[in-house]
Every structure is written in C-alpha cells, then in structure tokens.
Amino acid sequence: PIALDGPNLTLAAWVHLDPGATSIQTVAATKAAGCAADEAHDGFALFVNAWRSTSLQAWASWGSPGSGCEELGTELGAVPLTTWTHVAATFRAVDADGTVDVRVYVNGRLAAQTADAPPALFKTSTRPPRRRLAPAERVLSIGKHTDGTHPFHGALDEVSIWREALSASDVGLLVQSCAAREELPAPAVRLDFDEADDARFTRVPVRDRPNAYVRPASLAPVRESRPGPQPKAPLAPTGLRFERDPTPLPTAEEIEASDRVALERREAVRRGFKHAWDGYKKYAWGKDEIKPKSNSSRDWLRQAATMVDSLDTLWIMGFKEDFYEARDWIAAHLRFDAPLGVSVFETTIRTLGGLLSAYDLSGERAFLDKAKELGDVLLRSFQSKAGVPCANFNFRTNACTFPSWSAKSAILSEYGTIQLEYKALSARTGDPRYAEAALRQMRILQGLPKMHGLVPTFLDPNTGALRNKVITLGALGDSYYEYLLKQWLHTGKQEPWLKQLYEEAMDGVLDYLTFRTPGGLVYIAEHHERYVHKMDHLVCFAAGMLALGAQHGVSRAEEHMAVAEALTETCVQMYARQPTGLSPEYVNFNTTPGVDFTVPPKAKFNILRPEALEALFLLHHFTGRPKYRDHGWAIFQAFERWSRTPAAYAHIPDVLDTSGRQDDRMESFFMAETMKYLFLLFDPSRPVDLSDWVLNTEAHPLRVLHEPPESVLGASLGIS
C-alpha cells in the first residue's frame, strides 16, 4: 500500500507489447477492473487495448462519483506491437468539485484529452468529467489491475508516478535522454525492470528476451531503425464457397409497387435532410458542423465542411435555392489559410471532392475555381521523402506531420484515397500536376510487396517501406481498395493495371479474409499478427464495392455478387439485432456455435455512418429487390426515433440503450453520404447514372472520363 492519489497526478511508462497481446494490457493501476461506483474502483489505471480487442490504444481510467470506469483513449493503433513505446496520462484538477482535465500522451505527444475527445474515445458518466480521489493508501499494482485481472503481456520499464500533473513539455522530456529527464521533478514512484530484477520479476526475465526488448536511451533511434513486426499466424485459405441469393428477381409489377412506396419514403428522407440543413444554416452557417444538442457549432477543418459536403445532395434532392445560396457564400468567404493542422485526407474527400462534384453537376465556375485554389494548397503537403502527402498539414505555416499513434507512418486509406479527386481536378483544369501527385502514390503502391494482393496499413514516409503487417478492410485500409475499382471506372476502363490490382486484392479478400459464422452470417475479418474476427461498420462499404465491380466484368464476378449479397445481410443484422435498430461501430464475430456476434463495450456508439446504406443502395440498384429498400427504411426510422433533435440529427452513445441519450455531434458525412444514399435508394428516377458517374468515398459524384486525357493515366508515369 502507498499513498499516491491526489487532485493532480501523472503516470507514465515504457511498454513493449508481445505479438499476441490482446484485450486490456494493464500498465499500472490502483483500482479494480470494472465499473462499479465503489471504493474498489475509485483509483486510476493506465492500460493498452480496449476490452477483448487488439485496438492498440492507450487508455487512462479512473473512478468518478458516477462510475468506476471513466475512460479516455487514443485513436486506434497508437501503441504498436513489439515496439518500445512511451505512454503517459495526466490528471489536472480544474476546481474543488473534482472536475478534472485528463490527457493521454504517446511517445511524448498529446494523443487524447477530455476537452475535445469524440464520444468513442471518452466514456464518462459525468459532464464535465469528475474524478473521485481514492483513500489515502491504496495498493499500487504493476502489470495488472488490483483485482488481479488484465495482466500485461510484454515488457515494462520506467513505470513512474508523480503527485502532480506534468505539463506537455515535461511529458515530452520523458522520451528524451537521461540528462533531459533530470530537469523534471522527482517522481513519487519509479520502478525500473532490468537484469538485476530477474529474481524478483520471474515472469518477464530479460535474459530470455531478444535484444529488441532492450529499450534505448532515447526514442529517436528505435523508431527509425526497428523493423515492422512479422505475423505469427500467416493468412490461410478459408476454403469457403459462396452462392447467389436464390430468391427470384422481382417482376415488373413488384418493381412498380415498390417504386410507389419508395416515392413516399424518398420525400420523408428529403424532409429529414432539409431539417438538418436548416438547423445548420441557423446555428452553424459557415462552420464545419452543427452541434445538434447545444445548437452551436464545431470548426475542426475551418472549411465549412457541412456546407461543401452537402452541395451535391442539395442539387440531387432539388434544393436549388439553398444550393446557390451556399455557392455565393463559398465564392465570397471560403479560404484555405487556417493556421492549424488539418487532415489532408478528409480535406481531399470532403472539400475537394465536394467542390468538384458541385461543379460537375451544375457547371458553376465558382466551384472549380475554389477546387483549384485548394488543390494548389494541397500540393504543398507532398513533402515526405517517399512522396506521400503528410497526414496533417497547416495551410498557413506549411507544417507537415504524421500522427504519433501510427509511429509517424503514412496510412494506406489516406495516401491511397486521393486519386479520383486529383485526377478529376487535372481533367477539369488541364493542369497535370494534381494527377501526377496522385499517380506517384499509385506507383508506390503498385511496387509494394503484398499479401495475396492485400496491402498493410502503415508505410514509412521517408523510405517508402511497409512498417507493419496489418491487413484490414476497416479503418486505415478501407478506401484504398474502393479506389482501385473506382479509378479504373473513372478513367473509362482504360487502365487495366488498376483492374488487375483490384482483382488480385479481391481474390485475397474472398479467399483469405471472408468467413461465415456457424449461424450463417458472412463477414470480412482482419489480420494483424493473427486473425481478428472483428468487422467495422466501415467494412459494409465492401458489399457495395463488390456488387459494383461485378457489373463490369471483373474476374469471379458471380462470387463477388454472392459475397456482396451475404455481407449486406450481415450489415443489416448489425442494425436489426440492436434494441435501437442502430448499428454499433463494430462487432466481434464468434467462430463457435451460439450468438453470431457481440457488441464490445467500446463499440456501442453510432455516428450516423453511411456504409450499410451505400451497400443497400447499390444492391437494390443492381437487383431491384424491394427488401433492400425495406431495410433502408427501417434504418431511417431508427435515425428519426433515436437521433433526431430539434435542430438536426445526433450521434448515439449506446445502441443498446433505449433511454434516448444523444451526443452533441453530427459529422458532415451524414449529409454528404448517409442521407444521399437513402434518397438514391428510394428514388425510382435514378438521378445519378452509374455509367456516367463515379461516387468518391464521400459519395460525391464525379463525372466519368470516357475519353481521359493522357495526363491522368498511369502511363504518364510509366505505370503499366
């Protein structure tokens, strides 16, 4: 027992996770695991991974007056396997009532804080967050919670605790040299684990570990020189076969009856979109997002994201007066000079894609002028030695960075998902620079070693070498595969190398990642070090992608369509089996008889994502089956019941909870994608002809280049 807790606190450690480390990996704790609001849960904890997952997040947990598991976590992948990584958490008292500011750091950089963390990463029962102090003396447990649960699998070093909240600059010193750390105040606790401790800590003997486990004196050398981890269980064929839905396609009479009902549903969706648009105009005009509970705004990109993201939806739904009002504001006020780091990927797919789509649909020159202005700014983000764009770029200062949670790696779904927009901009302006920048990424990607056509998620932006072996069609990987197919379609099917990359990747997905539960649900698993039977809601896009590709003569087209139909059914069940009728962020699938899937505690939220509706739209478009419209209508009704607010629509913190709780957030993609896919699903007139338009990953329609200029083709850079 030791007296540690106080109003201000810092805990820090170096961690080195074993390849098989899954579920919660406790670094240090003075509390039991779990959420009871009692004395046993009043302390604090620092751990890696969400429960029953390999999320590779750093988490701080503490007891509050309302719960024993208040938690703040980083983005996914912040703490890599088999790599020494420094994690830290600070608790700073804001007032005498226990209100607290909590921050989590990875490798000396701020990775999360309670002030602006999204609901998925900040679980609290009290707003503002409060922390209840533990009794004067508590057991400090290293490598597990105080109740003996969630042991750490790997190596730990320099576990340190201060009875004060270190500043960000002080936390940064913790990953520097020993001399730099001497500038800090002495910690209340510091535990080093080295050769001298072998007799005491027999579960992690240093002598039995390879040299990779010896932590260097400072962080810089290890991050530059350490090779990526090797998978312990290689990809293996699943041996499954898939057959098309045997149900007969609908008759002309059945389609006509479905269209009559769909017209009424289309108008309901249209009214819902207008409700949210009017709320945005009233409370957040010119800002990125409306906050639908507090009737205020959020401005994280400084690009009027909801306005730009909604342009083509306004046009397609027939709200031309609102469309032209937005055009006038954009022409007069939209500037790309904000003095903050913004996501190059999100800016490309939302803002650049939205402007280009608005131009393609309306012919209004103001949108193309703004798109060119933005494209010129974004070209400055291609600063890395390998030629990939940085993840975050400051329009004012040209500062170019990659996230600490990815070990400063470039992310597959980001540098692999800019090609449609940049090629379209070159085609519209005649300036080849944009397409050339995008095609350089494709030249890198074509030359990378692949695992059955599949590409790992992290790339070294200096050397162009892969940094990990994680394969996923969920977050960090998804839209790269989507853009292989859509680039081929966008350039009039004149680049067979893109079709080849897509077909090889889909062979890998169907043969090595696609599984079926004992109950019959088909899902696409992940592979990092081993199979992870988890599927993000994001992966539902793959159903639509496979169906789209199957219409264009790709190899194994019938199998693609069969998997598309089966995967769409799984995505529907992710909604239908929840009390609210809304899908969680992801589910874990069972490979033994019983329940098909479970919802992990960290995945209960719904942020109005579009991917399942994208699949329903495309499956209905290609089959005409009314059931897809019925499923979409059920999802829309669930949004209306649980997400609608007087001003717009809100995220849901827990899809298992029917008490009506909502979060104060509405992403712009709800207007760009979710509502657009619903409208297209119910519109019999098919206002977007898929033979002439390709939808980017934000659902912005871009006109197909049936006669593409040579500057947008891979041959201009020697790709064949």
Side-chain angles (χ1 to χ4, degrees):
I2 187 171
L4 279 177
D5 221 339
N8 300 305
L9 190 71
T10 298
L11 48 156
W14 287 89
V15 302
H16 191 285
L17 288 167
D18 280 350
T22 187
S23 197
I24 293 172
Q25 303 291 305
T26 309
V27 177
T30 61
K31 65 181 290 294
C35 298
D38 57 25
E39 181 178 317
H41 296 81
D42 284 352
F44 56 81
L46 179 65
F47 58 88
V48 178
N49 280 345
W51 186 53
R52 289 188 177 177
S53 81
T54 312
S55 63
L56 303 181
Q57 298 164 279
W59 289 91
S61 176
W62 65 96
S64 81
S67 170
C69 60
E70 313 287 288
E71 292 172 347
L72 173 69
T74 65
E75 297 287 348
L76 297 173
V79 184
L81 295 167
T82 66
T83 302
W84 277 108
T85 306
H86 192 269
V87 296
T90 62
F91 299 85
R92 186 183 305 277
V94 175
D95 56 36
D97 294 329
T99 304
V100 64
D101 171 55
V102 184
R103 304 185 180 199
V104 178
Y105 297 81
V106 177
N107 287 334
R109 295 179 180 273
L110 181 63
Q113 62 184 100
T114 50
D116 60 5
L121 302 178
F122 177 30
K123 306 295 185 180
T124 181
S125 60
T126 59
R127 298 233 181 230
R130 296 173 63 197
R131 186 166 76 93
R132 186 163 60 186
L133 301 184
E137 285 195 350
R138 297 298 298 273
V139 169
L140 172 63
S141 180
I142 306 298
K144 58 185 178 181
H145 278 63
T146 55
D147 56 356
T149 59
H150 304 312
F152 189 91
H153 296 83
L156 297 169
D157 199 6
E158 291 185 17
V159 180
S160 305
I161 300 176
W162 287 260
R163 292 190 185 93
E164 59 184 287
L166 296 183
S167 66
S169 59
D170 284 345
V171 173
L173 291 177
L174 294 174
V175 301
Q176 304 303 318
S177 65
C178 294
R181 294 196 294 273
E182 289 176 359
E183 302 176 22
L184 299 175
V189 171
R190 176 181 165 119
L191 297 171
D192 295 328
F193 303 96
D194 54 26
E195 294 274 2
D197 292 320
D198 269 357
R200 182 178 173 197
F201 298 98
T202 55
R203 295 187 182 181
V204 284
V206 173
R207 62 176 175 269
D208 291 342
R209 297 189 174 278
N211 288 337
Y213 281 77
V214 178
R215 191 185 60 73
S218 62
L219 183 62
V222 66
R223 289 167 65 190
E224 294 298 323
S225 62
R226 187 173 306 286
Q230 297 296 313
K232 296 298 183 182
L235 288 164
T238 63
L240 296 179
R241 293 292 180 266
F242 304 96
E243 296 181 356
R244 291 288 306 274
D245 182 347
T247 307
L249 292 177
T251 64
E253 292 77 12
E254 289 171 332
I255 291 174
E256 183 179 351
S258 173
D259 285 348
R260 286 195 298 269
V261 175
L263 284 172
E264 298 178 5
R265 294 173 174 179
R266 182 193 66 181
E267 292 309 300
V269 171
R270 191 172 182 269
R271 290 191 296 272
F273 174 87
K274 191 61 162 62
H275 166 71
W277 175 257
D278 289 343
Y280 171 75
K281 283 178 60 177
K282 183 174 182 179
Y283 298 113
W285 186 246
K287 304 298 183 181
D288 286 324
E289 297 172 4
I290 181 176
K291 298 179 77 171
K293 295 280 288 178
S294 60
N295 295 341
S296 57
S297 64
R298 182 173 182 260
D299 210 22
W300 63 289
L301 287 172
R302 309 278 179 90
Q303 295 169 28
T306 295
M307 186 187 303
V308 177
D309 242 356
S310 300
L311 288 168
D312 47 31
T313 312
L314 288 166
W315 183 272
I316 290 167
M317 289 188 179
F319 295 114
K320 299 296 173 62
E321 183 177 339
D322 293 289
F323 177 87
Y324 288 116
E325 182 181 12
R327 176 205 59 186
D328 294 343
W329 188 96
I330 287 167
H333 301 291
L334 185 60
R335 298 290 181 268
F336 306 111
D337 58 0
L340 77 163
V342 299
S343 168
V344 171
F345 165 68
E346 297 292 355
T347 297
T348 298
I349 65 170
R350 300 191 195 208
T351 309
L352 183 58
L355 292 168
L356 287 167
S357 180
Y359 172 71
D360 277 359
L361 288 164
S362 70
E364 290 289 331
R365 182 76 192 189
F367 296 123
L368 183 59
D369 290 343
K370 280 297 173 187
K372 187 179 188 309
E373 179 184 335
L374 176 57
D376 290 340
V377 172
L378 289 174
L379 284 179
R380 304 201 305 264
S381 70
F382 290 80
Q383 298 180 16
S384 69
K385 293 179 181 178
V388 297
C390 51
N392 292 285
F393 181 65
N394 190 307
F395 290 167
R396 182 77 58 84
T397 68
N398 292 331
C400 193
T401 61
F402 293 90
S404 59
W405 58 262
S406 69
K408 297 195 172 180
S409 300
I411 297 163
L412 175 63
S413 62
E414 296 189 354
Y415 72 89
T417 312
I418 60 174
Q419 289 72 25
L420 288 180
E421 296 80 4
Y422 281 52
K423 289 178 180 180
L425 184 56
S426 281
R428 304 295 178 264
T429 63
D431 187 337
R433 294 179 301 151
Y434 315 111
E436 181 183 346
L439 285 166
R440 284 200 301 268
Q441 318 310 305
M442 295 311 302
R443 187 165 60 185
I444 293 169
L445 283 158
Q446 189 188 40
L448 288 175
K450 300 177 179 65
M451 303 168 69
H452 305 287
L454 305 170
V455 182
T457 54
F458 288 172
L459 181 89
D460 188 323
N462 294 313
T463 67
L466 293 171
R467 274 187 165 169
N468 70 357
K469 298 289 184 181
V470 175
I471 299 294
T472 178
L473 264 70
L476 310 182
D478 49 0
S479 46
Y480 158 69
Y481 301 100
E482 175 188 2
Y483 270 35
L484 290 178
L485 173 64
K486 290 184 174 179
Q487 284 185 80
W488 177 57
L489 299 177
H490 183 232
T491 50
K493 301 183 185 177
Q494 296 191 29
E495 298 187 276
W497 61 274
L498 283 165
K499 181 187 178 188
Q500 179 184 356
L501 286 174
Y502 174 74
E503 289 175 335
E504 291 173 352
M506 292 307 102
D507 285 347
V509 171
L510 266 62
D511 294 340
Y512 293 89
L513 294 180
T514 305
F515 289 81
R516 184 186 289 118
T517 68
L521 292 186
V522 169
Y523 63 97
I524 297 176
E526 300 180 359
H527 188 272
H528 29 107
E529 309 300 335
R530 58 181 179 79
Y531 278 107
V532 178
H533 294 274
K534 157 188 174 287
M535 192 175 86
D536 295 348
H537 183 282
L538 288 166
V539 179
C540 293
F541 91 93
M545 174 185 68
L546 288 164
L548 178 62
Q551 314 310 308
H552 292 278
V554 300
S555 63
R556 303 173 65 180
E558 278 297 293
E559 286 183 78
H560 285 207
M561 199 64 192
V563 173
E565 291 171 340
L567 189 62
T568 300
E569 177 60 26
T570 299
C571 294
V572 166
Q573 293 305 315
M574 289 171 65
Y575 284 82
R577 298 186 187 187
Q578 313 311 324
T580 57
L582 294 173
S583 171
E585 181 72 353
Y586 63 88
V587 296
N588 291 333
F589 285 90
N590 295 318
T591 57
T592 56
V595 178
D596 287 304
F597 60 76
T598 57
V599 180
K602 295 284 173 49
K604 293 179 180 179
F605 59 95
N606 179 286
I607 60 173
L608 312 174
R609 286 199 185 276
E611 292 79 18
L613 292 163
E614 176 184 2
L616 291 169
F617 157 60
L618 288 167
L619 268 291
H620 177 267
H621 187 88
F622 297 130
T623 70
R625 288 194 169 100
K627 70 176 183 178
Y628 295 120
R629 281 176 165 168
D630 293 339
H631 294 321
W633 181 244
I635 292 172
F636 176 68
Q637 288 181 306
F639 285 145
E640 288 289 295
R641 179 174 182 182
W642 302 108
S643 295
R644 187 174 174 121
T645 73
Y649 293 82
H651 295 181
I652 301 302
D654 188 347
V655 298
L656 307 179
D657 179 4
T658 57
S659 66
R661 290 189 298 135
Q662 297 173 323
D663 288 327
D664 196 15
R665 184 84 189 271
M666 187 186 84
E667 288 258 20
S668 66
F669 60 64
F670 178 71
M671 306 288 274
E673 300 183 76
T674 308
M675 295 300 272
K676 184 187 289 124
Y677 284 129
L678 278 164
F679 185 85
L680 294 175
L681 174 64
F682 297 128
D683 193 339
S685 70
R686 297 193 170 188
V688 178
D689 184 344
L690 296 182
S691 63
D692 291 321
W693 297 88
V694 169
L695 277 67
N696 86 335
T697 197
E698 192 78 3
H700 295 310
L702 300 173
R703 195 177 295 278
V704 170
L705 306 175
H706 291 293
E707 297 182 3
E710 289 192 9
S711 62
V712 306
L713 301 178
S716 64
L717 265 68
I719 306 174
S720 63

